[in-house]
Amino acid sequence: DFYQENQVQLKNEILSGFTVAIAQVPESVAFSFVAKVNPLVGLYATFFLGLITGLIGGRPGMVSGAAGAMAVVAVQIMSEDGLFTEKLLLNRGDISLTDDMPLRTQAAVR
């Protein structure tokens, strides 16, 4: 009922959502390079962080701040001597060996 009575507010909400979505794409890709992961992973992470933030009623700055914080943490966790190394994830069966995997990982596994 709220948006039926306030059509201007609905238009503003939709436009602000599109603006944030468009601004988040290059930021997510940039942060994925910082975290040394596939840019698609950055896009998925940003989508879910934004969804969770929206569901719990967070502030607008939380999405960008969360993406930056996750990039810094992910680079440490996923480093060669980090918490979740590629070799450990392969051995546990969490990921599988593919052609787009780095050559150092393919050599270490074989």
Side-chain angles (χ1 to χ4, degrees):
D1 285 340
F2 176 77
Y3 289 121
Q4 289 177 347
E5 296 172 10
N6 300 310
Q7 293 290 321
V8 174
Q9 183 69 23
L10 175 63
K11 178 192 67 109
N12 290 342
E13 294 283 342
I14 291 172
L15 287 176
S16 65
F18 281 131
T19 303
V20 169
I22 290 169
Q24 280 301 120
V25 170
E27 183 178 344
S28 299
V29 172
F31 281 136
S32 65
F33 288 128
V34 169
K36 299 177 185 171
V37 297
N38 188 324
L40 213 56
V41 172
L43 291 172
Y44 286 136
T46 300
F47 172 77
F48 286 111
L49 284 171
L51 183 66
I52 292 168
T53 302
L55 290 174
I56 61 173
R59 299 283 180 221
M62 290 179 70
V63 175
S64 179
M70 288 301 296
V72 173
V73 170
V75 73
Q76 294 300 319
I77 290 175
M78 297 300 290
S79 67
E80 282 191 50
D81 58 343
L83 188 58
F84 295 110
T85 62
E86 289 176 340
K87 188 172 183 179
L88 172 74
L89 295 174
L90 282 166
N91 290 339
R92 286 181 28 180
D94 294 335
I95 60 174
S96 61
L97 188 62
T98 61
D99 291 335
D100 62 344
M101 188 171 279
L103 292 176
R104 63 178 164 74
T105 301
Q106 291 183 12
V109 173
R110 291 184 180 149

